[in-house]
Amino acid sequence: DLPRVLDVLARVTENDRVLSELDLLIYEQQIIDSLGTVELIVSLGEAFNLDISPADVDLKDWATPRLLMADVERRLSHLS
């Protein structure tokens, strides 16, 4: 189900590179900005039924699509 994280990221960023380049530095490459991050938090919350507070997001943990998937997986594992 984690590939859905990439789908959400691709929709929010309007950039399909995030689907195949899992180590793409999405903030350094300016693929996503602070407003996009807020939209991503809301979209991931809706897609995975997660309550993600912006204060709980460390952008180092979301620096690449691969790291973002790992962070969502960690958050989901804390629910079960």
Side-chain angles (χ1 to χ4, degrees):
D1 207 29
L2 284 178
R4 202 162 39 133
V5 173
L6 297 179
D7 293 336
V8 171
L9 180 59
R11 184 177 48 76
V12 169
T13 62
E14 298 179 352
N15 191 319
D16 287 342
R17 287 176 61 198
V18 300
L19 297 171
S20 58
E21 297 178 41
L22 298 184
D23 295 313
L24 182 67
L25 295 168
I26 59 175
Y27 289 97
E28 278 187 27
Q29 300 278 323
Q30 298 179 343
I31 290 171
I32 193 168
D33 59 13
S34 57
L35 242 84
T37 301
V38 172
E39 185 180 345
L40 183 59
I41 289 169
V42 170
S43 296
L44 288 171
E46 291 171 352
F48 291 93
N49 200 25
L50 287 171
D51 185 19
I52 304 172
S53 166
D56 293 338
V57 174
D58 185 340
L59 295 186
K60 291 185 313 233
D61 294 334
W62 286 19
T64 69
R66 185 183 314 276
L67 289 171
L68 176 61
M69 282 194 303
D71 187 67
V72 171
E73 184 174 37
R74 180 186 58 78
R75 291 172 189 272
L76 289 170
S77 72
H78 286 126
L79 293 180
S80 44

PDB file of all heavy atoms in Angstrom, residues 48-73:
ATOM      1  N   PHE A  48      -4.256   7.873   4.333  1.00  0.00           N
ATOM      2  CA  PHE A  48      -3.852   6.791   5.241  1.00  0.00           C
ATOM      3  C   PHE A  48      -4.518   6.873   6.603  1.00  0.00           C
ATOM      4  O   PHE A  48      -4.152   6.142   7.523  1.00  0.00           O
ATOM      5  CB  PHE A  48      -2.326   6.800   5.403  1.00  0.00           C
ATOM      6  CG  PHE A  48      -1.604   6.396   4.161  1.00  0.00           C
ATOM      7  CD1 PHE A  48      -1.171   7.356   3.255  1.00  0.00           C
ATOM      8  CD2 PHE A  48      -1.389   5.066   3.864  1.00  0.00           C
ATOM      9  CE1 PHE A  48      -0.514   6.993   2.096  1.00  0.00           C
ATOM     10  CE2 PHE A  48      -0.735   4.684   2.709  1.00  0.00           C
ATOM     11  CZ  PHE A  48      -0.302   5.648   1.816  1.00  0.00           C
ATOM     12  N   ASN A  49      -5.492   7.781   6.729  1.00  0.00           N
ATOM     13  CA  ASN A  49      -6.189   7.955   8.006  1.00  0.00           C
ATOM     14  C   ASN A  49      -5.196   8.230   9.136  1.00  0.00           C
ATOM     15  O   ASN A  49      -5.266   7.616  10.207  1.00  0.00           O
ATOM     16  CB  ASN A  49      -7.065   6.740   8.321  1.00  0.00           C
ATOM     17  CG  ASN A  49      -8.138   7.076   9.336  1.00  0.00           C
ATOM     18  OD1 ASN A  49      -8.545   8.224   9.462  1.00  0.00           O
ATOM     19  ND2 ASN A  49      -8.587   6.075  10.072  1.00  0.00           N
ATOM     20  N   LEU A  50      -4.271   9.144   8.858  1.00  0.00           N
ATOM     21  CA  LEU A  50      -3.266   9.529   9.832  1.00  0.00           C
ATOM     22  C   LEU A  50      -3.525  10.958  10.288  1.00  0.00           C
ATOM     23  O   LEU A  50      -3.978  11.790   9.507  1.00  0.00           O
ATOM     24  CB  LEU A  50      -1.866   9.484   9.201  1.00  0.00           C
ATOM     25  CG  LEU A  50      -1.250   8.124   8.917  1.00  0.00           C
ATOM     26  CD1 LEU A  50       0.020   8.292   8.107  1.00  0.00           C
ATOM     27  CD2 LEU A  50      -0.964   7.397  10.225  1.00  0.00           C
ATOM     28  N   ASP A  51      -3.224  11.231  11.541  1.00  0.00           N
ATOM     29  CA  ASP A  51      -3.285  12.588  12.053  1.00  0.00           C
ATOM     30  C   ASP A  51      -1.850  13.090  12.147  1.00  0.00           C
ATOM     31  O   ASP A  51      -1.133  12.769  13.094  1.00  0.00           O
ATOM     32  CB  ASP A  51      -3.965  12.596  13.420  1.00  0.00           C
ATOM     33  CG  ASP A  51      -4.168  14.005  13.949  1.00  0.00           C
ATOM     34  OD1 ASP A  51      -4.128  14.962  13.141  1.00  0.00           O
ATOM     35  OD2 ASP A  51      -4.341  14.157  15.168  1.00  0.00           O
ATOM     36  N   ILE A  52      -1.416  13.837  11.130  1.00  0.00           N
ATOM     37  CA  ILE A  52      -0.042  14.328  11.078  1.00  0.00           C
ATOM     38  C   ILE A  52      -0.049  15.816  11.389  1.00  0.00           C
ATOM     39  O   ILE A  52      -0.656  16.608  10.673  1.00  0.00           O
ATOM     40  CB  ILE A  52       0.581  14.093   9.679  1.00  0.00           C
ATOM     41  CG1 ILE A  52       0.516  12.608   9.298  1.00  0.00           C
ATOM     42  CG2 ILE A  52       2.013  14.602   9.640  1.00  0.00           C
ATOM     43  CD1 ILE A  52       0.943  12.326   7.865  1.00  0.00           C
ATOM     44  N   SER A  53       0.622  16.167  12.459  1.00  0.00           N
ATOM     45  CA  SER A  53       0.757  17.579  12.822  1.00  0.00           C
ATOM     46  C   SER A  53       1.991  18.142  12.119  1.00  0.00           C
ATOM     47  O   SER A  53       3.035  17.486  12.097  1.00  0.00           O
ATOM     48  CB  SER A  53       0.919  17.701  14.334  1.00  0.00           C
ATOM     49  OG  SER A  53       1.376  18.995  14.665  1.00  0.00           O
ATOM     50  N   PRO A  54       1.882  19.342  11.571  1.00  0.00           N
ATOM     51  CA  PRO A  54       3.072  19.942  10.951  1.00  0.00           C
ATOM     52  C   PRO A  54       4.262  19.999  11.915  1.00  0.00           C
ATOM     53  O   PRO A  54       5.404  19.873  11.495  1.00  0.00           O
ATOM     54  CB  PRO A  54       2.599  21.348  10.564  1.00  0.00           C
ATOM     55  CG  PRO A  54       1.126  21.191  10.359  1.00  0.00           C
ATOM     56  CD  PRO A  54       0.694  20.172  11.383  1.00  0.00           C
ATOM     57  N   ALA A  55       3.998  20.146  13.196  1.00  0.00           N
ATOM     58  CA  ALA A  55       5.071  20.181  14.187  1.00  0.00           C
ATOM     59  C   ALA A  55       5.781  18.834  14.313  1.00  0.00           C
ATOM     60  O   ALA A  55       6.923  18.767  14.763  1.00  0.00           O
ATOM     61  CB  ALA A  55       4.518  20.608  15.542  1.00  0.00           C
ATOM     62  N   ASP A  56       5.092  17.749  13.899  1.00  0.00           N
ATOM     63  CA  ASP A  56       5.664  16.405  13.982  1.00  0.00           C
ATOM     64  C   ASP A  56       6.437  16.020  12.727  1.00  0.00           C
ATOM     65  O   ASP A  56       6.917  14.894  12.626  1.00  0.00           O
ATOM     66  CB  ASP A  56       4.556  15.359  14.188  1.00  0.00           C
ATOM     67  CG  ASP A  56       3.895  15.496  15.544  1.00  0.00           C
ATOM     68  OD1 ASP A  56       4.518  16.071  16.460  1.00  0.00           O
ATOM     69  OD2 ASP A  56       2.752  15.033  15.684  1.00  0.00           O
ATOM     70  N   VAL A  57       6.534  16.930  11.770  1.00  0.00           N
ATOM     71  CA  VAL A  57       7.206  16.620  10.508  1.00  0.00           C
ATOM     72  C   VAL A  57       8.605  17.226  10.524  1.00  0.00           C
ATOM     73  O   VAL A  57       8.768  18.436  10.677  1.00  0.00           O
ATOM     74  CB  VAL A  57       6.405  17.167   9.310  1.00  0.00           C
ATOM     75  CG1 VAL A  57       7.170  16.975   8.018  1.00  0.00           C
ATOM     76  CG2 VAL A  57       5.045  16.479   9.225  1.00  0.00           C
ATOM     77  N   ASP A  58       9.600  16.351  10.390  1.00  0.00           N
ATOM     78  CA  ASP A  58      10.982  16.795  10.230  1.00  0.00           C
ATOM     79  C   ASP A  58      11.299  16.644   8.746  1.00  0.00           C
ATOM     80  O   ASP A  58      11.268  15.533   8.211  1.00  0.00           O
ATOM     81  CB  ASP A  58      11.911  15.935  11.080  1.00  0.00           C
ATOM     82  CG  ASP A  58      13.352  16.419  11.042  1.00  0.00           C
ATOM     83  OD1 ASP A  58      13.710  17.158  10.099  1.00  0.00           O
ATOM     84  OD2 ASP A  58      14.110  16.063  11.955  1.00  0.00           O
ATOM     85  N   LEU A  59      11.571  17.752   8.076  1.00  0.00           N
ATOM     86  CA  LEU A  59      11.766  17.696   6.623  1.00  0.00           C
ATOM     87  C   LEU A  59      12.935  16.807   6.224  1.00  0.00           C
ATOM     88  O   LEU A  59      12.962  16.310   5.099  1.00  0.00           O
ATOM     89  CB  LEU A  59      11.934  19.108   6.049  1.00  0.00           C
ATOM     90  CG  LEU A  59      10.704  20.011   6.178  1.00  0.00           C
ATOM     91  CD1 LEU A  59      10.937  21.325   5.457  1.00  0.00           C
ATOM     92  CD2 LEU A  59       9.450  19.328   5.652  1.00  0.00           C
ATOM     93  N   LYS A  60      13.869  16.549   7.137  1.00  0.00           N
ATOM     94  CA  LYS A  60      14.944  15.592   6.832  1.00  0.00           C
ATOM     95  C   LYS A  60      14.353  14.204   6.598  1.00  0.00           C
ATOM     96  O   LYS A  60      14.876  13.435   5.807  1.00  0.00           O
ATOM     97  CB  LYS A  60      15.971  15.531   7.958  1.00  0.00           C
ATOM     98  CG  LYS A  60      16.817  16.787   8.110  1.00  0.00           C
ATOM     99  CD  LYS A  60      17.884  16.599   9.172  1.00  0.00           C
ATOM    100  CE  LYS A  60      17.313  15.998  10.415  1.00  0.00           C
ATOM    101  NZ  LYS A  60      17.510  16.627  11.670  1.00  0.00           N
ATOM    102  N   ASP A  61      13.258  13.904   7.298  1.00  0.00           N
ATOM    103  CA  ASP A  61      12.601  12.599   7.154  1.00  0.00           C
ATOM    104  C   ASP A  61      11.763  12.523   5.885  1.00  0.00           C
ATOM    105  O   ASP A  61      11.293  11.446   5.517  1.00  0.00           O
ATOM    106  CB  ASP A  61      11.711  12.303   8.359  1.00  0.00           C
ATOM    107  CG  ASP A  61      12.504  12.135   9.639  1.00  0.00           C
ATOM    108  OD1 ASP A  61      13.688  11.762   9.565  1.00  0.00           O
ATOM    109  OD2 ASP A  61      11.938  12.382  10.715  1.00  0.00           O
ATOM    110  N   TRP A  62      11.557  13.660   5.242  1.00  0.00           N
ATOM    111  CA  TRP A  62      10.754  13.717   4.018  1.00  0.00           C
ATOM    112  C   TRP A  62      11.577  14.232   2.841  1.00  0.00           C
ATOM    113  O   TRP A  62      11.034  14.669   1.839  1.00  0.00           O
ATOM    114  CB  TRP A  62       9.540  14.622   4.229  1.00  0.00           C
ATOM    115  CG  TRP A  62       8.461  14.027   5.088  1.00  0.00           C
ATOM    116  CD1 TRP A  62       8.568  12.991   5.954  1.00  0.00           C
ATOM    117  CD2 TRP A  62       7.098  14.445   5.152  1.00  0.00           C
ATOM    118  NE1 TRP A  62       7.363  12.750   6.559  1.00  0.00           N
ATOM    119  CE2 TRP A  62       6.441  13.625   6.078  1.00  0.00           C
ATOM    120  CE3 TRP A  62       6.379  15.446   4.509  1.00  0.00           C
ATOM    121  CZ2 TRP A  62       5.095  13.763   6.386  1.00  0.00           C
ATOM    122  CZ3 TRP A  62       5.032  15.583   4.819  1.00  0.00           C
ATOM    123  CH2 TRP A  62       4.399  14.750   5.743  1.00  0.00           C
ATOM    124  N   ALA A  63      12.893  14.180   2.948  1.00  0.00           N
ATOM    125  CA  ALA A  63      13.772  14.790   1.944  1.00  0.00           C
ATOM    126  C   ALA A  63      13.694  14.110   0.581  1.00  0.00           C
ATOM    127  O   ALA A  63      13.931  14.742  -0.446  1.00  0.00           O
ATOM    128  CB  ALA A  63      15.217  14.787   2.440  1.00  0.00           C
ATOM    129  N   THR A  64      13.343  12.824   0.579  1.00  0.00           N
ATOM    130  CA  THR A  64      13.236  12.068  -0.681  1.00  0.00           C
ATOM    131  C   THR A  64      11.957  11.239  -0.647  1.00  0.00           C
ATOM    132  O   THR A  64      11.424  10.961   0.436  1.00  0.00           O
ATOM    133  CB  THR A  64      14.431  11.107  -0.872  1.00  0.00           C
ATOM    134  OG1 THR A  64      14.351  10.054   0.102  1.00  0.00           O
ATOM    135  CG2 THR A  64      15.776  11.826  -0.772  1.00  0.00           C
ATOM    136  N   PRO A  65      11.477  10.792  -1.797  1.00  0.00           N
ATOM    137  CA  PRO A  65      10.310   9.904  -1.797  1.00  0.00           C
ATOM    138  C   PRO A  65      10.533   8.643  -0.947  1.00  0.00           C
ATOM    139  O   PRO A  65       9.628   8.216  -0.222  1.00  0.00           O
ATOM    140  CB  PRO A  65      10.129   9.563  -3.278  1.00  0.00           C
ATOM    141  CG  PRO A  65      10.656  10.771  -3.995  1.00  0.00           C
ATOM    142  CD  PRO A  65      11.843  11.198  -3.171  1.00  0.00           C
ATOM    143  N   ARG A  66      11.739   8.082  -1.005  1.00  0.00           N
ATOM    144  CA  ARG A  66      12.031   6.869  -0.226  1.00  0.00           C
ATOM    145  C   ARG A  66      11.911   7.153   1.282  1.00  0.00           C
ATOM    146  O   ARG A  66      11.311   6.364   2.035  1.00  0.00           O
ATOM    147  CB  ARG A  66      13.437   6.369  -0.557  1.00  0.00           C
ATOM    148  CG  ARG A  66      13.795   5.048   0.093  1.00  0.00           C
ATOM    149  CD  ARG A  66      15.228   4.617  -0.211  1.00  0.00           C
ATOM    150  NE  ARG A  66      15.620   4.744  -1.593  1.00  0.00           N
ATOM    151  CZ  ARG A  66      15.390   3.847  -2.544  1.00  0.00           C
ATOM    152  NH1 ARG A  66      14.734   2.732  -2.237  1.00  0.00           N
ATOM    153  NH2 ARG A  66      15.808   4.030  -3.786  1.00  0.00           N
ATOM    154  N   LEU A  67      12.458   8.278   1.727  1.00  0.00           N
ATOM    155  CA  LEU A  67      12.379   8.637   3.147  1.00  0.00           C
ATOM    156  C   LEU A  67      10.940   8.941   3.561  1.00  0.00           C
ATOM    157  O   LEU A  67      10.527   8.586   4.671  1.00  0.00           O
ATOM    158  CB  LEU A  67      13.281   9.836   3.441  1.00  0.00           C
ATOM    159  CG  LEU A  67      14.787   9.567   3.391  1.00  0.00           C
ATOM    160  CD1 LEU A  67      15.567  10.873   3.473  1.00  0.00           C
ATOM    161  CD2 LEU A  67      15.197   8.618   4.507  1.00  0.00           C
ATOM    162  N   LEU A  68      10.200   9.573   2.676  1.00  0.00           N
ATOM    163  CA  LEU A  68       8.796   9.862   2.960  1.00  0.00           C
ATOM    164  C   LEU A  68       8.006   8.570   3.155  1.00  0.00           C
ATOM    165  O   LEU A  68       7.230   8.443   4.106  1.00  0.00           O
ATOM    166  CB  LEU A  68       8.184  10.699   1.833  1.00  0.00           C
ATOM    167  CG  LEU A  68       6.689  11.000   1.939  1.00  0.00           C
ATOM    168  CD1 LEU A  68       6.364  11.786   3.194  1.00  0.00           C
ATOM    169  CD2 LEU A  68       6.209  11.740   0.707  1.00  0.00           C
ATOM    170  N   MET A  69       8.231   7.597   2.272  1.00  0.00           N
ATOM    171  CA  MET A  69       7.539   6.305   2.417  1.00  0.00           C
ATOM    172  C   MET A  69       7.903   5.647   3.740  1.00  0.00           C
ATOM    173  O   MET A  69       7.034   5.101   4.428  1.00  0.00           O
ATOM    174  CB  MET A  69       7.877   5.372   1.257  1.00  0.00           C
ATOM    175  CG  MET A  69       7.138   5.691  -0.009  1.00  0.00           C
ATOM    176  SD  MET A  69       7.218   4.364  -1.245  1.00  0.00           S
ATOM    177  CE  MET A  69       8.967   4.176  -1.470  1.00  0.00           C
ATOM    178  N   ALA A  70       9.179   5.709   4.124  1.00  0.00           N
ATOM    179  CA  ALA A  70       9.617   5.103   5.384  1.00  0.00           C
ATOM    180  C   ALA A  70       8.956   5.797   6.573  1.00  0.00           C
ATOM    181  O   ALA A  70       8.554   5.144   7.545  1.00  0.00           O
ATOM    182  CB  ALA A  70      11.140   5.178   5.494  1.00  0.00           C
ATOM    183  N   ASP A  71       8.821   7.124   6.498  1.00  0.00           N
ATOM    184  CA  ASP A  71       8.193   7.858   7.593  1.00  0.00           C
ATOM    185  C   ASP A  71       6.713   7.504   7.717  1.00  0.00           C
ATOM    186  O   ASP A  71       6.212   7.290   8.825  1.00  0.00           O
ATOM    187  CB  ASP A  71       8.370   9.367   7.398  1.00  0.00           C
ATOM    188  CG  ASP A  71       7.880  10.152   8.601  1.00  0.00           C
ATOM    189  OD1 ASP A  71       8.508  10.041   9.672  1.00  0.00           O
ATOM    190  OD2 ASP A  71       6.856  10.846   8.473  1.00  0.00           O
ATOM    191  N   VAL A  72       6.021   7.422   6.597  1.00  0.00           N
ATOM    192  CA  VAL A  72       4.604   7.040   6.630  1.00  0.00           C
ATOM    193  C   VAL A  72       4.467   5.613   7.164  1.00  0.00           C
ATOM    194  O   VAL A  72       3.589   5.331   7.993  1.00  0.00           O
ATOM    195  CB  VAL A  72       3.947   7.191   5.240  1.00  0.00           C
ATOM    196  CG1 VAL A  72       2.545   6.576   5.231  1.00  0.00           C
ATOM    197  CG2 VAL A  72       3.888   8.656   4.839  1.00  0.00           C
ATOM    198  N   GLU A  73       5.347   4.721   6.735  1.00  0.00           N
ATOM    199  CA  GLU A  73       5.313   3.336   7.225  1.00  0.00           C
ATOM    200  C   GLU A  73       5.512   3.305   8.743  1.00  0.00           C
ATOM    201  O   GLU A  73       4.812   2.587   9.461  1.00  0.00           O
ATOM    202  CB  GLU A  73       6.399   2.517   6.531  1.00  0.00           C
ATOM    203  CG  GLU A  73       6.376   1.054   6.898  1.00  0.00           C
ATOM    204  CD  GLU A  73       7.373   0.254   6.085  1.00  0.00           C
ATOM    205  OE1 GLU A  73       8.471   0.759   5.798  1.00  0.00           O
ATOM    206  OE2 GLU A  73       7.030  -0.889   5.729  1.00  0.00           O
TER     207      GLU A  73
END
